[in-house]
Amino acid sequence: MSSDIILLAHGDGGRLTHDLVTGLFLKYLGNSLLEGLTDAAAFKVGEGRMALTTDSFVIDPPFFPGGDIGKLAVCGTVNDLAVSGARPLYLTAGFLIEEGLPLADLERVVASMAQTCREAGVQVVAGDTKVVGRGGLDRIFINTAGFGLIPNGVDLGYHRIAPGDLVLVNGNMGDHGMAVLTAREGFGFEQAILSDCAPLQGITGMLAEKLPGVKLMRDLTRGGLATSTKEIASSAGCDIWLEEASIPVDPVVKGASEMLGVDPYYMANEGKFLAIVAPEQAEEALRLMREHRYGRNARIIGEVRPGKGDCYLKTALDGTKYLDMLAGAPLPRIC
Amino acid sequence: MSSDIILLAHGDGGRLTHDLVTGLFLKYLGNSLLEGLTDAAAFKVGEGRMALTTDSFVIDPPFFPGGDIGKLAVCGTVNDLAVSGARPLYLTAGFLIEEGLPLADLERVVASMAQTCREAGVQVVAGDTKVVGRGGLDRIFINTAGFGLIPNGVDLGYHRIAPGDLVLVNGNMGDHGMAVLTAREGFGFEQAILSDCAPLQGITGMLAEKLPGVKLMRDLTRGGLATSTKEIASSAGCDIWLEEASIPVDPVVKGASEMLGVDPYYMANEGKFLAIVAPEQAEEALRLMREHRYGRNARIIGEVRPGKGDCYLKTALDGTKYLDMLAGAPLPRIC
């Protein structure tokens, strides 16, 4: 490519677009479906229900401790499929780029996407690039949509949740949000906090396909553990009680949260999920999670009780706190 | 909703996001798959190959003569599926919104999407909203990904193209690009030029499923007729000759093009496609196209000849012009 920055002409559908697609995107993301460069990728799939999802990523900064917008754009959408019980198969990728972005930055992002796709076992099969003039957007945004297959026999959903079910998470809360916040604001904590950004299809697939007692899974992104739990309680029409003493939070993240006055239960995670599991399979689920590299610090953190859809936290001091959805304390551009 | 503009908190995954989703998106786009508000939509489909595609829309201005970014975001992705021979079924929608966008503008866009979805026979089954602070993006961008089913028996592709095949288009070239250009730059032409933005699944589905002689279709968006034709010739390894006298261009668009020094063959269309058809079925294809509301001015505009992948225009004055991909004259943010 003759320019080392992105030009408007890279997005005009002409020669430079063609060069960018063949010289960069195909170089890293190439596969038989993408290489056709047709209007849509065409494929056959096996038995089961299909799953479709989408997510856009506008994270600031695009490179952060523990990841970058490319890794995040793959993990975010893979994880939405994964917690639905689907085996993620194919992604689409829509790049929105500000004129003047260094091509080296774009290449770093695309290479990171490619590596994460390999780990997640997915292929990017369709893509699109738009370039907007300087000031028309901030550096780079990525949209990914994901397609997966829910194997026969897997049935996750609010309708299965019942009092007595236990609530599990696969590890520490708040790492991603705090990593981005401290990186962005330059608080200069002695020890860098790393995002937990990771593709979860391995650990979720194992749970969903081995344990019929796994009733619902949810990745804990924007709004964090508290918002997701409240939404689940609300949709299931049961109360959910969480126990503060059982919820794992990294001590550095905990310290930073207290100093900054934010709550790790409301911070975004990008490699964490919650599972609602029938009590008789909860210990087995915990064991399986802990054997997986993305579940070493898994815990049982609460339970489902009869109720009207509310969510409560039993605090370490034996108090009770009502948990509502995130409101009024936005951390923008966290994903 | 308590605010009449978009706030950062509308994108934080908390209460206001929830209100926006239930109060606006579900109001217009609601269907049984979307209403679950699960991480991914799950569904079963019939027999055939699946088709998956994506497109992002950053058009400036977002409201233009003949359409808006919402209509465009549905048509663009529906048409990518349609020209692949697929029956479009499901869309995902990712909204990227600048803080401060009037909610009324967003509502107008979403209502327009809903209306276009009904015409196209598709449902939005998954969505995502991100809000970026003022200046972080220009008003509103939308990404849509599309999922469709290619019926058994439909086989479109470069591999089928052979010398002797004829090239058809379903109507006038350049309307969309010129509508946006004149609306944006305020040239004040006496007569407004309207975008041709339209969902094409009806006309393309009829052709693909009725006429096995239809070998390839391509929607003529960024880069226009010329860029697409060159790409097809290149991929098929044949030459394509177009005849200027046969290519339909609206006289007002033609006049504006001459005045502005742009070429309607390189201008984007959003409701036009090209079809490569075996010679023995070309007249029948033309007849079918002309019976359809989006093909009234369909024409046979050229033919495939033996060659190495080049594209030529036989001009009205009997000269020959080499057509290459668009290069160096970008019209940014046309879609």
Side-chain angles (χ1 to χ4, degrees), chain A residues 11 14-15 39-43 50-53 55-56 58 80 83 96 128-130 136-138 143 145 147 218-219 222 324 326, chain B residues 11 14-15 39-43 50-53 55-56 58 80 83 96 128-130 136-138 141 143 145 147 218-219 222 324 326:
Chain A
R15 172 62 64 188
D39 282 300
F43 49 84
M50 319 286 154
L52 195 59
T53 188
D55 226 333
S56 302
V58 299
D80 278 343
V83 295
L96 295 160
D128 178 61
T129 306
K130 293 291 187 304
L137 69 83
D138 185 11
N143 174 284
F147 174 86
R218 174 68 71 86
D219 57 334
R222 279 185 298 180
D324 205 347
L326 178 64
Chain B
R15 171 63 63 188
D39 282 300
F43 49 85
M50 318 285 153
L52 195 60
T53 189
D55 225 333
S56 303
V58 298
D80 279 343
V83 295
L96 296 160
D128 177 62
T129 305
K130 292 291 188 304
L137 69 82
D138 185 11
F141 303 153
N143 173 284
F147 175 87
R218 174 67 71 89
D219 56 335
R222 279 185 296 180
D324 206 346
L326 177 65

Short mmCIF file of all heavy atoms in Angstrom, two decimals, chain A residues 11 14-15 39-43 50-53 55-56 58 80 83 96 128-130 136-138 143 145 147 218-219 222 324 326, chain B residues 11 14-15 39-43 50-53 55-56 58 80 83 96 128-130 136-138 141 143 145 147 218-219 222 324 326:
data_model
loop_
_atom_site.label_atom_id
_atom_site.label_comp_id
_atom_site.label_asym_id
_atom_site.label_seq_id
_atom_site.Cartn_x
_atom_site.Cartn_y
_atom_site.Cartn_z
N GLY A 11 -12.04 4.05 1.70
CA GLY A 11 -13.42 3.68 1.98
C GLY A 11 -14.37 3.95 0.84
O GLY A 11 -15.58 3.88 1.01
N GLY A 14 -13.38 1.69 -4.21
CA GLY A 14 -12.59 1.58 -5.42
C GLY A 14 -11.28 0.84 -5.20
O GLY A 14 -11.19 -0.10 -4.41
N ARG A 15 -10.26 1.29 -5.90
CA ARG A 15 -8.97 0.61 -5.93
C ARG A 15 -8.33 0.50 -4.55
O ARG A 15 -7.87 -0.56 -4.15
CB ARG A 15 -8.05 1.36 -6.92
CG ARG A 15 -6.62 0.91 -6.95
CD ARG A 15 -6.46 -0.54 -7.39
NE ARG A 15 -6.91 -0.75 -8.76
CZ ARG A 15 -7.01 -1.96 -9.33
NH1 ARG A 15 -6.72 -3.06 -8.62
NH2 ARG A 15 -7.43 -2.08 -10.56
N ASP A 39 -20.95 -10.73 -2.13
CA ASP A 39 -21.76 -9.82 -1.32
C ASP A 39 -22.15 -10.43 0.01
O ASP A 39 -22.36 -9.72 0.99
CB ASP A 39 -23.01 -9.40 -2.11
CG ASP A 39 -22.66 -8.34 -3.13
OD1 ASP A 39 -22.19 -7.28 -2.72
OD2 ASP A 39 -22.83 -8.60 -4.33
N ALA A 40 -22.28 -11.75 0.05
CA ALA A 40 -22.59 -12.42 1.31
C ALA A 40 -21.87 -13.75 1.32
O ALA A 40 -21.69 -14.37 0.27
CB ALA A 40 -24.10 -12.63 1.44
N ALA A 41 -21.44 -14.18 2.49
CA ALA A 41 -20.84 -15.50 2.61
C ALA A 41 -21.95 -16.54 2.62
O ALA A 41 -22.98 -16.34 3.25
CB ALA A 41 -20.05 -15.59 3.91
N ALA A 42 -21.75 -17.66 1.93
CA ALA A 42 -22.77 -18.71 1.89
C ALA A 42 -22.18 -19.99 2.46
O ALA A 42 -21.05 -20.34 2.16
CB ALA A 42 -23.24 -18.93 0.46
N PHE A 43 -22.95 -20.69 3.29
CA PHE A 43 -22.42 -21.87 3.95
C PHE A 43 -23.57 -22.77 4.39
O PHE A 43 -24.72 -22.35 4.43
CB PHE A 43 -21.58 -21.46 5.16
CG PHE A 43 -22.27 -20.48 6.07
CD1 PHE A 43 -23.15 -20.91 7.05
CD2 PHE A 43 -22.06 -19.11 5.92
CE1 PHE A 43 -23.80 -20.01 7.87
CE2 PHE A 43 -22.71 -18.20 6.74
CZ PHE A 43 -23.58 -18.65 7.72
N MET A 50 -30.15 -21.85 15.13
CA MET A 50 -29.14 -20.85 14.80
C MET A 50 -29.18 -19.76 15.86
O MET A 50 -30.24 -19.47 16.42
CB MET A 50 -29.45 -20.18 13.46
CG MET A 50 -29.95 -21.11 12.38
SD MET A 50 -28.61 -22.10 11.73
CE MET A 50 -29.54 -23.53 11.15
N ALA A 51 -28.05 -19.11 16.07
CA ALA A 51 -28.01 -17.96 16.98
C ALA A 51 -27.35 -16.80 16.26
O ALA A 51 -26.36 -16.98 15.53
CB ALA A 51 -27.24 -18.31 18.24
N LEU A 52 -27.90 -15.61 16.43
CA LEU A 52 -27.41 -14.43 15.74
C LEU A 52 -27.33 -13.29 16.74
O LEU A 52 -28.26 -13.08 17.53
CB LEU A 52 -28.39 -14.09 14.61
CG LEU A 52 -27.96 -13.12 13.52
CD1 LEU A 52 -26.73 -13.62 12.78
CD2 LEU A 52 -29.11 -12.93 12.53
N THR A 53 -26.24 -12.54 16.70
CA THR A 53 -26.08 -11.44 17.65
C THR A 53 -25.19 -10.36 17.05
O THR A 53 -24.54 -10.59 16.03
CB THR A 53 -25.48 -11.95 18.99
OG1 THR A 53 -25.51 -10.90 19.95
CG2 THR A 53 -24.03 -12.40 18.81
N ASP A 55 -22.71 -6.59 18.16
CA ASP A 55 -22.15 -5.68 19.15
C ASP A 55 -21.23 -4.70 18.42
O ASP A 55 -20.52 -5.08 17.50
CB ASP A 55 -21.34 -6.48 20.19
CG ASP A 55 -21.65 -6.05 21.61
OD1 ASP A 55 -22.03 -4.89 21.81
OD2 ASP A 55 -21.49 -6.88 22.50
N SER A 56 -21.26 -3.45 18.86
CA SER A 56 -20.32 -2.46 18.33
C SER A 56 -19.34 -2.08 19.42
O SER A 56 -19.68 -2.10 20.61
CB SER A 56 -21.06 -1.20 17.87
OG SER A 56 -22.03 -1.51 16.91
N VAL A 58 -16.50 0.82 20.66
CA VAL A 58 -16.06 2.21 20.49
C VAL A 58 -15.05 2.55 21.59
O VAL A 58 -14.88 3.71 21.95
CB VAL A 58 -17.27 3.17 20.56
CG1 VAL A 58 -18.26 2.87 19.44
CG2 VAL A 58 -17.99 3.09 21.91
N ASP A 80 -21.34 -13.34 23.50
CA ASP A 80 -22.80 -13.27 23.43
C ASP A 80 -23.38 -14.58 22.88
O ASP A 80 -24.42 -15.06 23.34
CB ASP A 80 -23.25 -12.11 22.52
CG ASP A 80 -23.22 -10.78 23.26
OD1 ASP A 80 -23.17 -10.76 24.50
OD2 ASP A 80 -23.26 -9.74 22.58
N VAL A 83 -22.66 -17.56 25.72
CA VAL A 83 -23.56 -17.64 26.87
C VAL A 83 -24.98 -18.02 26.46
O VAL A 83 -25.81 -18.36 27.30
CB VAL A 83 -23.58 -16.34 27.70
CG1 VAL A 83 -22.22 -16.09 28.33
CG2 VAL A 83 -24.05 -15.16 26.86
N LEU A 96 -15.18 1.05 11.03
CA LEU A 96 -15.44 2.48 10.82
C LEU A 96 -14.17 3.19 11.23
O LEU A 96 -13.75 3.12 12.40
CB LEU A 96 -16.61 2.93 11.70
CG LEU A 96 -17.95 2.29 11.34
CD1 LEU A 96 -18.92 2.37 12.51
CD2 LEU A 96 -18.53 2.98 10.12
N ASP A 128 -16.84 -5.09 6.02
CA ASP A 128 -17.15 -3.82 5.39
C ASP A 128 -16.25 -2.77 6.03
O ASP A 128 -15.96 -2.84 7.22
CB ASP A 128 -18.62 -3.46 5.62
CG ASP A 128 -18.99 -2.12 5.03
OD1 ASP A 128 -18.87 -1.98 3.79
OD2 ASP A 128 -19.36 -1.20 5.78
N THR A 129 -15.82 -1.81 5.23
CA THR A 129 -14.99 -0.73 5.74
C THR A 129 -15.55 0.60 5.30
O THR A 129 -15.82 0.80 4.11
CB THR A 129 -13.55 -0.84 5.21
OG1 THR A 129 -13.05 -2.14 5.51
CG2 THR A 129 -12.65 0.20 5.86
N LYS A 130 -15.73 1.50 6.24
CA LYS A 130 -16.10 2.87 5.91
C LYS A 130 -15.06 3.80 6.50
O LYS A 130 -14.59 3.57 7.63
CB LYS A 130 -17.47 3.22 6.50
CG LYS A 130 -18.65 2.47 5.88
CD LYS A 130 -18.92 2.88 4.45
CE LYS A 130 -20.19 2.26 3.88
NZ LYS A 130 -20.24 0.80 3.93
N GLY A 136 -14.81 13.15 12.09
CA GLY A 136 -16.12 12.54 11.91
C GLY A 136 -16.34 11.33 12.81
O GLY A 136 -17.48 10.90 13.01
N LEU A 137 -15.27 10.76 13.30
CA LEU A 137 -15.34 9.75 14.36
C LEU A 137 -13.98 9.69 15.03
O LEU A 137 -12.99 10.17 14.48
CB LEU A 137 -15.81 8.37 13.84
CG LEU A 137 -14.91 7.53 12.94
CD1 LEU A 137 -13.88 6.71 13.73
CD2 LEU A 137 -15.77 6.55 12.16
N ASP A 138 -13.92 9.08 16.21
CA ASP A 138 -12.68 9.05 16.98
C ASP A 138 -11.89 7.78 16.66
O ASP A 138 -12.20 6.71 17.19
CB ASP A 138 -13.03 9.16 18.47
CG ASP A 138 -11.78 9.25 19.33
OD1 ASP A 138 -10.67 9.43 18.79
OD2 ASP A 138 -11.91 9.12 20.56
N ASN A 143 -17.80 -2.97 14.42
CA ASN A 143 -19.00 -3.76 14.72
C ASN A 143 -18.73 -5.19 14.31
O ASN A 143 -18.17 -5.44 13.25
CB ASN A 143 -20.22 -3.23 13.94
CG ASN A 143 -21.43 -4.15 14.13
OD1 ASN A 143 -21.50 -5.23 13.54
ND2 ASN A 143 -22.35 -3.75 14.97
N ALA A 145 -20.92 -8.93 14.02
CA ALA A 145 -22.11 -9.74 14.24
C ALA A 145 -21.63 -11.17 14.26
O ALA A 145 -20.62 -11.51 13.65
CB ALA A 145 -23.14 -9.50 13.14
N PHE A 147 -22.61 -15.49 14.29
CA PHE A 147 -23.56 -16.55 13.95
C PHE A 147 -23.05 -17.84 14.57
O PHE A 147 -21.88 -18.19 14.44
CB PHE A 147 -23.63 -16.67 12.43
CG PHE A 147 -24.47 -17.83 11.97
CD1 PHE A 147 -25.84 -17.70 11.82
CD2 PHE A 147 -23.88 -19.05 11.70
CE1 PHE A 147 -26.62 -18.77 11.40
CE2 PHE A 147 -24.64 -20.13 11.28
CZ PHE A 147 -26.02 -19.99 11.14
N ARG A 218 -24.95 -15.64 31.30
CA ARG A 218 -24.99 -14.25 30.85
C ARG A 218 -23.60 -13.66 31.00
O ARG A 218 -22.98 -13.78 32.06
CB ARG A 218 -25.98 -13.47 31.73
CG ARG A 218 -26.02 -11.98 31.48
CD ARG A 218 -26.58 -11.62 30.13
NE ARG A 218 -27.99 -11.83 30.01
CZ ARG A 218 -28.94 -10.93 30.37
NH1 ARG A 218 -28.59 -9.77 30.84
NH2 ARG A 218 -30.20 -11.21 30.22
N ASP A 219 -23.07 -13.05 29.92
CA ASP A 219 -21.77 -12.39 30.07
C ASP A 219 -21.98 -11.04 30.75
O ASP A 219 -22.97 -10.36 30.51
CB ASP A 219 -21.03 -12.28 28.74
CG ASP A 219 -21.82 -11.55 27.67
OD1 ASP A 219 -23.07 -11.55 27.74
OD2 ASP A 219 -21.21 -10.98 26.76
N ARG A 222 -21.28 -4.40 29.88
CA ARG A 222 -21.75 -3.09 30.34
C ARG A 222 -22.77 -3.23 31.46
O ARG A 222 -23.71 -3.99 31.35
CB ARG A 222 -22.44 -2.34 29.19
CG ARG A 222 -21.49 -1.65 28.27
CD ARG A 222 -22.27 -0.84 27.25
NE ARG A 222 -23.12 -1.68 26.40
CZ ARG A 222 -23.90 -1.22 25.43
NH1 ARG A 222 -23.96 0.08 25.19
NH2 ARG A 222 -24.61 -2.03 24.70
N ASP A 324 -29.98 -2.32 41.93
CA ASP A 324 -30.78 -1.96 40.76
C ASP A 324 -29.85 -1.91 39.54
O ASP A 324 -28.66 -2.11 39.65
CB ASP A 324 -31.46 -0.61 40.98
CG ASP A 324 -32.71 -0.47 40.13
OD1 ASP A 324 -32.91 -1.29 39.21
OD2 ASP A 324 -33.49 0.46 40.39
N LEU A 326 -27.64 -0.24 36.62
CA LEU A 326 -26.77 0.93 36.58
C LEU A 326 -27.59 2.15 36.15
O LEU A 326 -28.37 2.09 35.22
CB LEU A 326 -25.66 0.69 35.56
CG LEU A 326 -24.67 1.83 35.32
CD1 LEU A 326 -23.87 2.13 36.58
CD2 LEU A 326 -23.74 1.49 34.19
N GLY B 11 -26.22 4.78 26.64
CA GLY B 11 -25.35 3.73 26.11
C GLY B 11 -24.58 2.97 27.17
O GLY B 11 -23.68 2.21 26.84
N GLY B 14 -27.33 0.43 31.36
CA GLY B 14 -28.14 0.48 32.57
C GLY B 14 -29.59 0.83 32.29
O GLY B 14 -30.16 0.45 31.27
N ARG B 15 -30.16 1.60 33.20
CA ARG B 15 -31.59 1.89 33.16
C ARG B 15 -32.01 2.64 31.89
O ARG B 15 -32.99 2.29 31.25
CB ARG B 15 -31.95 2.69 34.42
CG ARG B 15 -33.33 3.25 34.46
CD ARG B 15 -34.41 2.18 34.46
NE ARG B 15 -34.35 1.33 35.65
CZ ARG B 15 -35.10 0.21 35.80
NH1 ARG B 15 -35.92 -0.17 34.83
NH2 ARG B 15 -34.99 -0.50 36.89
N ASP B 39 -29.00 -12.57 24.75
CA ASP B 39 -27.71 -12.18 24.18
C ASP B 39 -27.64 -12.46 22.68
O ASP B 39 -26.93 -11.79 21.96
CB ASP B 39 -26.58 -12.90 24.91
CG ASP B 39 -26.28 -12.25 26.25
OD1 ASP B 39 -25.94 -11.07 26.23
OD2 ASP B 39 -26.42 -12.91 27.28
N ALA B 40 -28.35 -13.48 22.24
CA ALA B 40 -28.38 -13.77 20.81
C ALA B 40 -29.77 -14.28 20.47
O ALA B 40 -30.43 -14.91 21.30
CB ALA B 40 -27.33 -14.83 20.46
N ALA B 41 -30.23 -13.99 19.27
CA ALA B 41 -31.52 -14.51 18.82
C ALA B 41 -31.31 -15.95 18.37
O ALA B 41 -30.31 -16.26 17.72
CB ALA B 41 -32.05 -13.68 17.67
N ALA B 42 -32.24 -16.82 18.72
CA ALA B 42 -32.11 -18.23 18.32
C ALA B 42 -33.31 -18.62 17.46
O ALA B 42 -34.44 -18.24 17.75
CB ALA B 42 -32.04 -19.12 19.55
N PHE B 43 -33.04 -19.33 16.37
CA PHE B 43 -34.12 -19.66 15.44
C PHE B 43 -33.75 -20.89 14.63
O PHE B 43 -32.59 -21.29 14.58
CB PHE B 43 -34.40 -18.48 14.51
CG PHE B 43 -33.15 -17.91 13.88
CD1 PHE B 43 -32.63 -18.47 12.72
CD2 PHE B 43 -32.48 -16.85 14.45
CE1 PHE B 43 -31.47 -17.97 12.14
CE2 PHE B 43 -31.31 -16.34 13.88
CZ PHE B 43 -30.80 -16.91 12.72
N MET B 50 -26.91 -21.06 4.00
CA MET B 50 -27.10 -19.81 4.73
C MET B 50 -26.27 -18.73 4.04
O MET B 50 -25.22 -19.01 3.48
CB MET B 50 -26.57 -19.94 6.16
CG MET B 50 -26.89 -21.24 6.85
SD MET B 50 -28.59 -21.30 7.34
CE MET B 50 -28.85 -23.09 7.31
N ALA B 51 -26.70 -17.49 4.18
CA ALA B 51 -25.92 -16.36 3.68
C ALA B 51 -25.79 -15.33 4.79
O ALA B 51 -26.74 -15.08 5.53
CB ALA B 51 -26.60 -15.74 2.47
N LEU B 52 -24.59 -14.77 4.93
CA LEU B 52 -24.31 -13.82 6.01
C LEU B 52 -23.54 -12.65 5.43
O LEU B 52 -22.61 -12.84 4.63
CB LEU B 52 -23.47 -14.54 7.07
CG LEU B 52 -23.32 -13.90 8.45
CD1 LEU B 52 -24.66 -13.73 9.14
CD2 LEU B 52 -22.40 -14.76 9.31
N THR B 53 -23.93 -11.44 5.79
CA THR B 53 -23.26 -10.26 5.25
C THR B 53 -23.34 -9.11 6.26
O THR B 53 -24.10 -9.18 7.22
CB THR B 53 -23.89 -9.84 3.91
OG1 THR B 53 -23.09 -8.82 3.32
CG2 THR B 53 -25.30 -9.30 4.10
N ASP B 55 -22.79 -4.51 6.64
CA ASP B 55 -22.54 -3.21 6.04
C ASP B 55 -22.72 -2.14 7.11
O ASP B 55 -23.60 -2.27 7.95
CB ASP B 55 -23.54 -2.97 4.91
CG ASP B 55 -22.87 -2.42 3.66
OD1 ASP B 55 -21.81 -1.77 3.78
OD2 ASP B 55 -23.41 -2.64 2.57
N SER B 56 -21.87 -1.13 7.09
CA SER B 56 -22.04 -0.01 8.00
C SER B 56 -22.45 1.22 7.20
O SER B 56 -22.07 1.36 6.04
CB SER B 56 -20.74 0.31 8.73
OG SER B 56 -20.26 -0.81 9.43
N VAL B 58 -22.69 5.46 7.23
CA VAL B 58 -22.18 6.68 7.86
C VAL B 58 -22.61 7.89 7.03
O VAL B 58 -21.97 8.94 7.06
CB VAL B 58 -20.63 6.63 7.97
CG1 VAL B 58 -20.18 5.47 8.84
CG2 VAL B 58 -19.98 6.51 6.58
N ASP B 80 -27.48 -6.89 -0.32
CA ASP B 80 -26.31 -7.77 -0.39
C ASP B 80 -26.74 -9.23 -0.33
O ASP B 80 -26.18 -10.09 -1.02
CB ASP B 80 -25.33 -7.48 0.76
CG ASP B 80 -24.43 -6.29 0.48
OD1 ASP B 80 -24.32 -5.87 -0.70
OD2 ASP B 80 -23.83 -5.77 1.43
N VAL B 83 -28.84 -10.06 -3.84
CA VAL B 83 -28.07 -10.33 -5.06
C VAL B 83 -27.25 -11.61 -4.94
O VAL B 83 -26.73 -12.11 -5.94
CB VAL B 83 -27.14 -9.15 -5.45
CG1 VAL B 83 -27.97 -7.92 -5.80
CG2 VAL B 83 -26.13 -8.84 -4.36
N LEU B 96 -24.62 3.50 16.54
CA LEU B 96 -23.55 4.30 17.15
C LEU B 96 -24.05 5.73 17.12
O LEU B 96 -24.28 6.30 16.05
CB LEU B 96 -22.27 4.16 16.33
CG LEU B 96 -21.67 2.75 16.31
CD1 LEU B 96 -20.74 2.58 15.14
CD2 LEU B 96 -20.93 2.51 17.61
N ASP B 128 -27.73 -3.48 19.21
CA ASP B 128 -26.77 -2.96 20.17
C ASP B 128 -26.73 -1.45 19.99
O ASP B 128 -26.87 -0.96 18.87
CB ASP B 128 -25.38 -3.55 19.91
CG ASP B 128 -24.33 -2.98 20.84
OD1 ASP B 128 -24.46 -3.18 22.05
OD2 ASP B 128 -23.39 -2.32 20.35
N THR B 129 -26.56 -0.72 21.09
CA THR B 129 -26.47 0.74 21.02
C THR B 129 -25.26 1.21 21.79
O THR B 129 -25.07 0.81 22.93
CB THR B 129 -27.73 1.39 21.65
OG1 THR B 129 -28.88 0.85 21.01
CG2 THR B 129 -27.70 2.89 21.45
N LYS B 130 -24.45 2.02 21.14
CA LYS B 130 -23.34 2.67 21.84
C LYS B 130 -23.51 4.17 21.69
O LYS B 130 -23.88 4.65 20.60
CB LYS B 130 -22.00 2.25 21.24
CG LYS B 130 -21.64 0.79 21.48
CD LYS B 130 -21.32 0.47 22.91
CE LYS B 130 -20.79 -0.93 23.13
NZ LYS B 130 -21.63 -2.01 22.64
N GLY B 136 -17.23 12.75 19.29
CA GLY B 136 -16.62 11.43 19.12
C GLY B 136 -17.10 10.71 17.88
O GLY B 136 -16.48 9.75 17.41
N LEU B 137 -18.25 11.11 17.35
CA LEU B 137 -18.70 10.67 16.03
C LEU B 137 -19.72 11.67 15.53
O LEU B 137 -20.25 12.47 16.31
CB LEU B 137 -19.26 9.23 16.05
CG LEU B 137 -20.57 8.90 16.77
CD1 LEU B 137 -21.80 9.21 15.92
CD2 LEU B 137 -20.60 7.41 17.09
N ASP B 138 -20.01 11.64 14.24
CA ASP B 138 -20.90 12.62 13.64
C ASP B 138 -22.35 12.11 13.63
O ASP B 138 -22.72 11.31 12.78
CB ASP B 138 -20.40 12.94 12.23
CG ASP B 138 -21.21 14.06 11.59
OD1 ASP B 138 -21.99 14.71 12.30
OD2 ASP B 138 -21.07 14.26 10.37
N PHE B 141 -24.32 6.59 13.19
CA PHE B 141 -23.89 5.56 12.25
C PHE B 141 -24.68 4.30 12.59
O PHE B 141 -25.03 4.06 13.75
CB PHE B 141 -22.39 5.24 12.40
CG PHE B 141 -21.46 6.42 12.24
CD1 PHE B 141 -20.21 6.41 12.87
CD2 PHE B 141 -21.80 7.53 11.47
CE1 PHE B 141 -19.33 7.48 12.73
CE2 PHE B 141 -20.92 8.60 11.33
CZ PHE B 141 -19.68 8.58 11.96
N ASN B 143 -24.73 0.00 11.83
CA ASN B 143 -24.27 -1.21 11.17
C ASN B 143 -25.41 -2.20 11.15
O ASN B 143 -26.13 -2.36 12.14
CB ASN B 143 -23.08 -1.84 11.92
CG ASN B 143 -22.70 -3.19 11.33
OD1 ASN B 143 -23.38 -4.19 11.56
ND2 ASN B 143 -21.65 -3.22 10.54
N ALA B 145 -26.08 -6.34 10.03
CA ALA B 145 -25.63 -7.60 9.44
C ALA B 145 -26.90 -8.33 9.04
O ALA B 145 -27.96 -8.12 9.62
CB ALA B 145 -24.82 -8.42 10.44
N PHE B 147 -28.84 -12.03 7.58
CA PHE B 147 -28.82 -13.48 7.48
C PHE B 147 -29.95 -13.91 6.55
O PHE B 147 -31.08 -13.45 6.69
CB PHE B 147 -29.02 -14.09 8.87
CG PHE B 147 -29.14 -15.58 8.86
CD1 PHE B 147 -28.01 -16.37 8.91
CD2 PHE B 147 -30.38 -16.18 8.78
CE1 PHE B 147 -28.12 -17.75 8.89
CE2 PHE B 147 -30.50 -17.56 8.76
CZ PHE B 147 -29.37 -18.34 8.81
N ARG B 218 -25.26 -8.41 -8.77
CA ARG B 218 -24.41 -7.57 -7.94
C ARG B 218 -25.10 -6.23 -7.74
O ARG B 218 -25.54 -5.61 -8.72
CB ARG B 218 -23.06 -7.36 -8.65
CG ARG B 218 -22.12 -6.38 -7.97
CD ARG B 218 -21.61 -6.87 -6.64
NE ARG B 218 -20.66 -7.95 -6.77
CZ ARG B 218 -19.33 -7.78 -6.90
NH1 ARG B 218 -18.82 -6.58 -6.92
NH2 ARG B 218 -18.54 -8.82 -6.98
N ASP B 219 -25.23 -5.79 -6.49
CA ASP B 219 -25.82 -4.46 -6.29
C ASP B 219 -24.74 -3.40 -6.53
O ASP B 219 -23.57 -3.59 -6.22
CB ASP B 219 -26.46 -4.32 -4.90
CG ASP B 219 -25.51 -4.62 -3.76
OD1 ASP B 219 -24.54 -5.37 -3.96
OD2 ASP B 219 -25.73 -4.09 -2.66
N ARG B 222 -21.22 1.53 -3.61
CA ARG B 222 -19.98 2.33 -3.71
C ARG B 222 -19.16 1.94 -4.93
O ARG B 222 -18.93 0.77 -5.17
CB ARG B 222 -19.11 2.08 -2.48
CG ARG B 222 -19.51 2.86 -1.28
CD ARG B 222 -18.51 2.65 -0.16
NE ARG B 222 -18.49 1.26 0.29
CZ ARG B 222 -17.69 0.82 1.27
NH1 ARG B 222 -16.85 1.64 1.86
NH2 ARG B 222 -17.73 -0.44 1.65
N ASP B 324 -11.84 1.27 -15.34
CA ASP B 324 -11.14 0.68 -14.21
C ASP B 324 -11.96 0.92 -12.95
O ASP B 324 -12.99 1.58 -12.98
CB ASP B 324 -9.74 1.30 -14.08
CG ASP B 324 -8.78 0.34 -13.37
OD1 ASP B 324 -9.25 -0.64 -12.78
OD2 ASP B 324 -7.56 0.60 -13.43
N LEU B 326 -12.95 2.63 -9.43
CA LEU B 326 -12.89 4.00 -8.94
C LEU B 326 -11.55 4.24 -8.26
O LEU B 326 -11.09 3.42 -7.48
CB LEU B 326 -14.02 4.21 -7.91
CG LEU B 326 -14.09 5.57 -7.23
CD1 LEU B 326 -14.39 6.67 -8.22
CD2 LEU B 326 -15.17 5.55 -6.14
#
